[in-house]
Amino acid sequence: MEELQNAVKDGGLAVSNLPEKGRCLLTTKNFYPGEVILRQEPYVCVPNNTVSRCDGCFASESLKKCSACQVVWYCGSTCQKSEWKLHRLECIALSRLEKEKRKAVTPSIRLMVRLYLRRKLQNEMFIPASVTDSCNFVEALVSHLKDLDEKQLVLYAQMASLVHLILQWPEINLKEIAENFSKLACNAHTICDCELRPLGTGLYPIVSIINHSCLPNAVLIFEGKSSVVRAVEHIPEGAEVSIAYIDIAGSTMTRQKTLKEQYFFTCTCPRCIKAGQYNDIQESAILEGYRCKDDRCNGFLLRDSEDKGFICQTCGLLRSKEEVKRIVSEITAISDKELKYKSPGNHEEAISQYKMIEKLQMELCHPFSISLMRTREELLKILMEVGDWREALAYCRLTIPGYQRVYPELHPLLGLQYYTCGKIEWLVFSFYLFDSNLLNPPPFS
């Protein structure tokens, strides 16, 4: 612990233990909005397999596959050399597998294999180790193995069997590997690009100390594969640094459920301790509930005491359960149809379906509804794909008020939505100028 304290103290940080939370990261100086709190390279990381990516830099262009293992890609010799110490052992292990079994090597499997190989290389002093970059740090992570259901335990056991087959090390047992999978599930982070699109997964030991809050004072972003924790508000000396493990857009009940299922704890952050209070009930009803039947009223609805329906808390108008069920059923039917018959190139059909869903949601949901916001996000995405910039701009603008409500002022997702809106506005303006010039060409000079 003393070595760890010495490692982080120069950055204005300290590691502490809190009774209800375990290890946490505290500040020993003031941090201000936008300031970097922590920067760390991954202990191990792998790219996603949705798109082929370079193992060294996560680039997706000009790639060549490793000729030996036929699993890993590189963009050039620089990245191949930088990864060679670790991949040399990984390559030998993967090459032993039958061709069909190599197809089953997912990013999660590779991450675990690399975890063991890095530990081996550090123990044998082929690569350096430090207090913030060693297998000891990984071993100290909490696994939550006892909290897993049987289905998840069976899955981890199957994954552990494949890792054991790849490594062929008699000294490690399946239970240990399964436990490490559980550790990675709770402590690894999704590596994203500057537009928050997922690129891969990495394990960052110091970042894993930082606890969750639904009202975080910091945010985790990435510069390449490097993790960067930045303050999103003033964090005074002696305060705990917190980030959000999940998307914080949603009611307290939704957030608590997600955290319990994925991370096995009950959040007691400033937002969550207000659960059951009037303001929290109101916000939950706005984000995930229904709107008043009167279009002129902007009130939120709560279930009436006689269970006949939902009463507007502003004007008192009742909305029957039957009406709500009917609209929900229609939305579900269209959504199921869209999922069932969705094809990559059928944009017109997808736009039509999502607009039908949007119309029903506007009739049923509050204007700040998360469901309505997500539908408009899907429409925005498709409209951008087909290059309909004017309508894309209209939908992007419609999402901004929802983003402003559910995300803090300096949250990256809100900033990204502003950026997207500005980028589309520029495109619309550029096309307007282009069309104007075609109609009224400039005179020859």
Side-chain angles (χ1 to χ4, degrees):
M1 188 70 165
E2 187 179 343
E3 288 180 330
L4 181 57
Q5 294 286 19
N6 291 333
V8 299
K9 72 176 183 180
D10 290 342
L13 300 168
V15 178
S16 183
N17 272 288
L18 296 178
E20 299 296 322
K21 294 183 176 181
R23 289 189 303 178
C24 65
L25 206 60
L26 303 179
T27 60
T28 57
K29 68 172 189 178
N30 287 296
F31 286 93
Y32 296 93
E35 192 173 352
V36 173
I37 299 169
L38 174 67
R39 190 185 297 270
Q40 189 178 31
E41 296 299 314
Y43 183 72
V44 285
C45 68
V46 290
N48 290 343
N49 60 358
T50 48
V51 175
S52 297
R53 294 190 181 279
C54 172
D55 240 48
C57 66
F58 287 10
S60 57
E61 296 177 356
S62 304
L63 302 179
K64 289 185 179 180
K65 190 179 281 188
C66 174
S67 57
C69 69
Q70 294 288 304
V71 173
V72 177
W73 296 82
Y74 293 107
C75 66
S77 58
T78 302
C79 282
Q80 187 178 24
K81 286 175 183 176
S82 70
E83 294 289 309
W84 180 241
K85 282 185 179 178
L86 189 56
H87 182 60
R88 183 178 65 84
L89 296 182
E90 181 188 30
C91 190
I92 293 168
L94 291 174
S95 298
R96 287 195 297 255
L97 284 179
E98 297 172 7
K99 193 173 181 180
E100 284 303 309
K101 281 222 168 28
R102 282 185 220 175
K103 293 178 182 177
V105 179
T106 62
S108 296
I109 298 293
R110 282 198 63 212
L111 194 67
M112 185 59 66
V113 169
R114 291 169 76 86
L115 185 75
Y116 277 99
L117 293 175
R118 187 174 178 87
R119 185 177 76 176
K120 176 182 173 67
L121 289 169
Q122 286 185 328
N123 288 341
E124 295 174 357
M125 298 188 201
F126 281 105
I127 57 175
S130 67
V131 66
T132 60
D133 183 40
S134 75
C135 57
N136 294 333
F137 210 109
V138 177
E139 287 165 5
L141 296 173
V142 178
S143 72
H144 294 287
L145 200 64
K146 66 181 188 306
D147 299 312
L148 299 177
D149 58 28
E150 187 178 350
K151 185 179 177 181
Q152 194 64 48
L153 287 170
V154 169
L155 176 62
Y156 284 163
Q158 291 170 341
M159 293 166 72
S161 296
L162 182 53
V163 171
H164 199 273
L165 178 67
I166 294 168
L167 292 173
Q168 296 185 15
W169 294 354
E171 65 270 23
I172 58 170
N173 59 59
L174 294 179
K175 185 180 178 183
E176 179 193 325
I177 302 171
E179 188 170 5
N180 281 330
F181 270 120
S182 182
K183 288 179 181 181
L184 290 181
C186 294
N187 294 284
H189 289 88
T190 300
I191 301 168
C192 298
D193 66 8
C194 61
E195 294 191 14
L196 304 182
R197 293 171 297 206
L199 302 177
T201 306
L203 181 62
Y204 300 84
I206 298 292
V207 177
S208 68
I209 293 176
I210 303 174
N211 284 318
H212 164 86
S213 173
C214 299
L215 196 63
N217 54 23
V219 66
L220 173 64
I221 56 175
F222 295 89
E223 295 175 1
K225 295 193 297 188
S226 302
S227 64
V228 181
V229 179
R230 288 185 183 272
V232 292
E233 62 182 53
H234 171 229
I235 307 175
E237 180 182 345
E240 182 185 359
V241 178
S242 61
I243 59 175
Y245 292 178
I246 60 169
D247 187 350
I248 55 175
S251 68
T252 300
M253 186 180 295
T254 298
R255 298 193 313 273
Q256 290 276 19
K257 182 175 182 290
T258 304
L259 289 166
K260 195 71 175 175
E261 288 175 353
Q262 294 183 16
Y263 296 97
F264 309 103
F265 71 88
T266 301
C267 184
T268 56
C269 74
R271 282 181 77 186
C272 288
I273 59 172
K274 294 177 182 177
Q277 295 179 17
Y278 181 80
N279 287 345
D280 180 70
I281 293 170
Q282 178 182 357
E283 188 66 9
S284 298
I286 288 171
L287 296 179
E288 297 178 3
Y290 310 121
R291 67 170 301 155
C292 182
K293 283 182 70 172
D294 187 345
D295 291 338
R296 297 165 298 177
C297 179
N298 202 32
F300 66 98
L301 276 59
L302 295 178
R303 192 182 294 272
D304 79 311
S305 56
E306 296 178 6
D307 200 27
K308 292 180 180 178
F310 302 86
I311 296 178
C312 176
Q313 302 303 296
T314 300
C315 69
L317 197 63
L318 177 73
R319 192 158 201 178
S320 70
K321 284 199 303 183
E322 289 71 23
E323 183 188 8
V324 169
K325 283 181 180 178
R326 176 185 60 79
I327 301 173
V328 169
S329 296
E330 288 182 45
I331 293 171
T332 303
I334 298 169
S335 300
D336 290 345
K337 182 182 176 183
E338 167 61 20
L339 287 170
K340 188 175 181 181
Y341 298 107
K342 190 174 184 180
S343 57
N346 197 353
H347 292 111
E348 286 186 14
E349 179 67 18
I351 290 169
S352 173
Q353 296 291 330
Y354 277 117
K355 283 186 175 180
M356 288 169 64
I357 293 170
E358 181 199 22
K359 185 179 178 181
L360 289 166
Q361 287 176 334
M362 288 172 67
E363 183 184 347
L364 178 67
C365 304
H366 194 278
F368 286 112
S369 160
I370 298 292
S371 299
L372 179 58
M373 187 175 80
R374 298 302 183 213
T375 299
R376 286 171 171 166
E377 285 174 346
E378 287 297 325
L379 278 163
L380 170 60
K381 181 181 174 183
I382 300 167
L383 289 164
M384 287 175 70
E385 285 176 4
V386 299
D388 188 343
W389 302 114
R390 288 184 185 277
E391 194 166 12
L393 178 59
Y395 273 102
C396 195
R397 286 172 173 167
L398 285 172
T399 65
I400 295 293
Y403 270 72
Q404 289 171 328
R405 189 176 188 101
V406 297
Y407 296 115
E409 186 180 4
L410 297 179
H411 196 282
L413 284 171
L414 177 58
L416 182 60
Q417 206 67 358
Y418 286 141
Y419 166 75
T420 303
C421 202
K423 187 165 68 172
I424 298 172
E425 283 182 351
W426 180 84
L427 285 165
V428 170
F429 182 67
S430 298
F431 280 112
Y432 170 77
L433 286 179
F434 179 74
D435 290 343
S436 299
N437 287 335
L438 285 177
L439 294 171
N440 302 294
F444 288 102
S445 56

